[in-house]
Each structure stands twice: as structure tokens, then as C-alpha cells.
Amino acid sequence: MSSVYLDHNATTSLDSHVLEAMLPWMKAQAGNPTSRHIFGRTARTAIEHARAQVAEACGAYTSQVVFTASGTEANNFAVRGMTANQDAAQILYSAIEHPCVSRPAAALKQYGYKSQSIAVNGQGRLETAHLALLLEKPANLVSVMLANNETGVIQDIAQIAEQVRRSGSLMHTDAVQGLGKLALSFTDLNVHAMTVSSHKINGPQGAAALILDKRVDIQPLLYGGGQERGLRSGTENVAAIIGFGMACELAAANQSNFASHTRALRDAFEQGLRSLDAQIFSDQVARIPNTSFFAVNGIEGETLVTALDRKGFAVASGSACSSDSTEPSHVLLAMGVGHDLARGAVRVSFGSHNTLQQVSGLLDALKSEVLRLRQLTGVTA
Ligand code: PLP
């Protein structure tokens, strides 16, 4: 039995055009992009082409793209680098940030920075009144994600950035789950820095970027040979960067098709879910189109994920990036969802190759598994 992949917010498969663009850089002798000979110059030209493709997809200038090896790295770079040259004050981040924002912020405590989370409401939207209250004291940086990886909730980043800029602080957004799913414009979001990652848009692992306003005084992430304008030294992963560039070009070209296709799948899925007495999180606010996060009363998310996996459907019980934890989703807890319901959370994230037929197969599998598990545990709807 071949399984149906429904975990596209965790990672995506490599697009065949992306692989094609990468292969020459893996097969033939490629030069070090800093070398002056023809091999080096060719690699440098290819990287700069990829930089332009990433910039275009992000609504940014080429000179604003700093390549990193992962979204995690870009987020750590933003949090540490953007605060390092300021007097230590507070670092603010939304209570639903990915740990690769909240943990580096917390780790800066040793240097005198205070990290503080900003509350969200029951639908997962930022409480801007709480942000305003926190901004009464000086803040070095505010980081609020564009779209949440679990609920899919989209924040009004331009408006938040305006509020943050008025206070004189720097603003970063993690747009890892926004790229390819939303029309993305660094300029319109009006932030100082923005993170994007290749493997969420059918590009390879090992490439990502921090899109950075060049006027920001940022401390380099890695010191060495001076690559990436001296901000992130280290010989470039040429093939991965070329793949990231191509994935960006394709994602930008297909974004509206991706959105309408996955929204249709999600809507059909959620219509079926409602008849199962499932609670759908954040369904009253704007979400990225491919994501559905829900819980079935009385059934553990982990149990359901395992049961669905056996039936050929790969879904997630929350954030794959923090799946080492058995704690309920911090995102749901921040939204005020009770521990028991939060423990039931399951995430389905669709991709462009999923079909309505797969959605009805998933719904059938869900129905029979929910019935079976309810009989086992004696829980009634
Ligand atoms: N930010 C968000 C919102 C994510 O969903 C993820 C990964 O799931 C990351 C950051 C980390 O990105 P990467 O896997 O490229 O390190």
C-alpha cells in the first residue's frame, strides 16, 4: 500500500525541475564560488541568479538576501544578530513562535536580555494591546511569525510592524510557512528582517535565507572567509542554493494555483470533519490555505496519527520540528485550549499533488478509526 503524504508543513518532496537544476552542480566539477577561475566564476554567477529568484519570490531586492542553511539558522541569526549591537533590553516574540525563535531569545538571558512572549487570542491572533503594553519599555527586537506552522493562522504583520517601528524597535517575521502559500512581499510587510526556507516549497534541505534590510546593524552569524557580505561565512552549498532559487521561481509562479487547489481540499476535509464532532482550531480567522488543525474529543492526537499512518495517511500531531516532546502543543495552550483537547491535536497539511479522492479516503479512515478508538476507550461523542 502506498501512503498518502499530508504533512507538507513539515517538509515537501523535491520538485523534478528543481532536481534538474541542481544535478549539474552535483555531477560535474563545480568551483568554489570565491575562486577567481572559470569554475568559481560560474558558480558565483549561478548563486547570484538564485539570489535574484529568491528575492523576486519574496518581494525583496537581491541585495537583501542572505543565504543560510536552514530556517532555524536564519531565525537564530535574526534573534542574536539583530540584538547583539544594542544595549540589552527585552526581546519580544509571539507566544506561538517556532522554538527556533523563542529558544535563542531565551538563551540571551545570560547576556542580560529579557525574553518575553506576546499573548495571542483564542483564535491564535496576536493581542496587539498586549504588544503595546510591552512596548512601553524599550525592546531590542520583536519577532512575530507570518503564518503559524500548526494552525496556519496568518498575522497582520504590516500593521504589527508599524506598531513596532513607532516604538523604535526592530521587527522580524518568520515567513517559513508563508512562502509559496501567500503572495509574499518583504517590502509591503515593512519588517526589518524575514526568514524563508527552501524545503517547505519543494526545494532541497540545506538552503534558506534571511531577507534583511541592509540598514540594520546586525552582528555576523559566522566569521571566516566573508561570504554573504561577511554576515555568514562558509563555502556556499551551491547545489542547494541553486535548487532553492528554482523552487522559489516555481512557488511564486504557482502560488495562486496552490492556494485555490489546497483551499478546495481543506474546505472539503473540514466539512467532513464537522460531521465527526471534531473541533477545528482557528477556523474563524485567516489561515494559509493548505492547513487544518483539529482534535477529536477524547482521542489522543498521537494515537490517531499512528492509526492513520497504518491506514496509509501520513499526518502530524503538531509541529514536526518539536515532536521530541510529548507535551501538548504550546500554540494551542497559548490560545487557551485546555490540555485534554490540545493533546488530541492533529494537523493535516495539503500539497499541490493531493486530490479530493485522497481527502475522502482520509475522511473514511478517520471515521472508522474514531469509531474503533471510541469503542476501545469507551468514550462517546
Ligand atoms: N519556522 C517555522 C514556522 C517552521 O515551520 C519551521 C520548520 O518547520 C522552521 C521555522 C524551521 O525551518 P527549517 O526546517 O528550515 O530549519
Side-chain angles (χ1 to χ4, degrees):
M1 177 183 66
S2 66
S3 283
V4 178
Y5 189 75
L6 296 163
D7 195 14
H8 294 83
N9 286 7
T11 197
T12 56
S13 61
L14 198 64
D15 184 281
S16 59
H17 296 96
V18 172
L19 178 63
E20 230 170 85
M22 291 171 69
L23 276 177
W25 299 94
M26 300 163 94
K27 278 183 174 166
Q29 170 68 59
N32 186 317
T34 41
S35 297
R36 304 247 176 251
H37 48 62
I38 180 70
F39 294 90
R41 292 200 311 276
T42 310
R44 167 65 46 215
T45 304
I47 285 182
E48 293 317 311
H49 178 63
R51 197 184 305 280
Q53 290 170 308
V54 173
E56 176 74 24
C58 293
Y61 295 107
T62 305
S63 60
Q64 294 172 323
V65 177
V66 182
F67 285 120
T68 63
S70 66
T72 298
E73 185 183 309
N75 280 344
N76 273 261
F77 180 27
V79 171
R80 284 197 264 159
M82 291 169 78
T83 55
N85 295 338
Q86 302 182 47
D87 292 335
Q90 50 171 354
I91 302 170
L92 307 179
Y93 55 88
S94 83
I96 56 169
E97 289 305 306
H98 192 278
C100 63
V101 167
S102 53
R103 289 191 186 157
L108 289 174
K109 189 175 168 207
Q110 58 180 316
Y111 301 110
Y113 296 85
K114 188 173 175 248
S115 71
Q116 168 78 48
S117 66
I118 315 158
V120 295
N121 66 19
Q123 288 289 315
R125 292 265 291 179
L126 196 82
E127 291 280 15
T128 50
H130 188 219
L131 173 61
L133 194 71
L134 293 168
L135 285 175
E136 284 176 7
K137 288 192 192 149
N140 303 112
L141 177 72
V142 178
S143 185
V144 178
M145 70 205 314
L146 175 61
N148 185 264
N149 43 307
E150 297 182 20
T151 59
V153 169
I154 301 167
Q155 305 291 340
D156 189 347
I157 294 298
Q159 196 193 320
I160 296 165
E162 180 61 35
Q163 191 180 355
V164 171
R165 279 180 183 269
R166 273 201 307 271
S167 77
S169 301
L170 294 175
M171 170 85 194
H172 165 257
T173 191
D174 173 351
V176 165
Q177 296 292 347
L179 182 61
K181 296 169 186 155
L182 303 169
L184 191 58
S185 166
F186 178 68
T187 311
D188 291 350
L189 290 178
N190 197 26
V191 292
H192 294 97
M194 175 173 98
T195 297
V196 287
S197 178
S198 159
H199 74 99
K200 308 286 185 182
I201 56 159
N202 304 101
Q205 277 102 2
L210 186 68
I211 314 296
L212 181 68
D213 181 335
K214 280 177 78 181
R215 291 163 295 192
V216 172
D217 181 16
I218 189 165
Q219 190 174 85
L221 176 68
L222 298 171
Y223 295 91
Q227 289 90 344
E228 296 300 299
R229 291 194 279 117
L231 295 174
R232 200 267 182 192
S233 287
T235 300
E236 297 89 340
N237 184 347
V238 181
I241 289 173
I242 302 305
F244 183 23
M246 178 56 85
C248 276
E249 186 176 322
L250 295 171
N254 295 330
Q255 185 267 317
S256 65
N257 283 342
F258 177 91
S260 52
H261 178 69
T262 57
R263 181 172 287 114
L265 300 181
R266 204 250 319 260
D267 288 353
F269 176 62
E270 292 193 344
Q271 204 181 336
L273 265 187
R274 288 192 178 93
S275 68
L276 267 177
D277 186 34
Q279 165 129 7
I280 303 168
F281 302 113
S282 302
D283 62 346
Q284 304 301 307
V285 292
R287 289 177 290 165
I288 45 175
N290 74 322
T291 305
S292 186
F293 200 34
F294 64 95
V296 181
N297 195 21
I299 299 180
E300 287 271 337
E302 289 293 340
T303 310
L304 207 45
V305 168
T306 309
L308 288 172
D309 191 33
R310 259 192 259 115
K311 293 215 146 188
F313 295 94
V315 302
S317 59
S319 167
C321 315
S322 50
S323 59
D324 55 328
S325 159
T326 51
E327 283 298 296
S329 149
H330 74 286
V331 174
L332 293 179
L333 297 185
M335 287 162 55
V337 174
H339 272 67
D340 283 351
L341 189 60
R343 252 186 254 285
V346 174
R347 180 187 69 187
V348 173
S349 49
F350 296 102
S352 49
H353 295 301
N354 291 131
T355 62
L356 273 173
Q357 203 183 351
Q358 292 171 343
V359 171
S360 55
L362 173 65
L363 282 167
D364 288 344
L366 249 178
K367 275 177 201 155
S368 65
E369 284 309 305
V370 166
L371 197 67
R372 185 179 68 81
L373 291 166
R374 280 203 170 126
Q375 278 163 354
L376 274 179
T377 56
V379 174
T380 53

